[in-house]
Amino acid sequence: LALVLIGDGAAAGNYGYTNSGYSVYEEENERLTESLRTKVSAIKSLSIEIGTEVKNQNKMLSEMDNDFDSAGGLLGATMGRLRTLSRGSQTKLLCYMMLFALFVFFVIYWIIKLR
C-alpha cells in the first residue's frame, strides 16, 4: 500500500495521521522499545545469575548429604559396638571399671603423698 502525501502533509485516503504526528508515535515506540530491551536484558542477566546460584547451592547440598551419610555410617558403627559391649558380661565390665577407679585413686594418692 503506497501513501501519497498531499500538500499539507496529510496522507491520501485521510487516515488521520500527519507526517509529524506519525513521527511522534514512531519516536515514542522506539523509546519504549529501547526501554523494554534494557529491562529484558537486565532480567536475562538476573536469571542467569539465579541459575548459577541454584547450581552452586545444589552442589553444596549434595556435598552436605554425602557428609551426613558418612557421619551416619560412623555413628551406626559406634552404636553397633556399644550394643555389642552392652550384651557382654556385666560383671566383667563392672570389674574393669572398679580396677580403673582403684588405679586412678592410687595415682591421685601417690601425687598427694609426694607433695
Side-chain angles (χ1 to χ4, degrees):
L1 182 65
L3 295 177
V4 178
L5 295 178
I6 303 179
D8 64 348
N14 199 8
Y15 291 111
Y17 293 112
T18 62
N19 192 16
S20 63
Y22 179 73
S23 70
V24 170
Y25 289 126
E26 187 174 343
E27 289 173 9
E28 180 71 14
N29 280 341
E30 288 296 323
R31 187 181 59 79
L32 291 174
T33 302
E34 187 60 37
S35 173
L36 184 62
R37 185 176 294 126
T38 304
K39 290 176 183 177
V40 167
S41 176
I43 290 173
K44 178 183 176 184
S45 66
L46 184 63
S47 65
I48 289 171
E49 289 176 12
I50 289 172
T52 303
E53 184 65 25
V54 166
K55 287 178 185 176
N56 290 337
Q57 294 293 328
N58 283 339
K59 181 180 176 185
M60 190 183 309
L61 284 174
S62 176
E63 290 171 359
M64 284 178 62
D65 187 39
N66 292 337
D67 290 343
F68 281 128
D69 284 344
S70 65
L74 180 63
L75 186 60
T78 303
M79 291 301 293
R81 281 187 234 130
L82 282 174
R83 271 190 231 106
T84 303
L85 183 62
S86 68
R87 284 189 210 131
S89 171
Q90 296 295 328
T91 56
K92 190 177 181 181
L93 182 62
L94 186 60
C95 196
Y96 284 141
M97 285 177 47
M98 290 299 284
L99 286 174
F100 179 73
L102 282 173
F103 173 74
V104 171
F105 175 75
F106 281 122
V107 168
I108 292 174
Y109 177 75
W110 181 67
I111 291 173
I112 292 174
K113 192 77 166 167
L114 288 177
R115 285 188 160 193

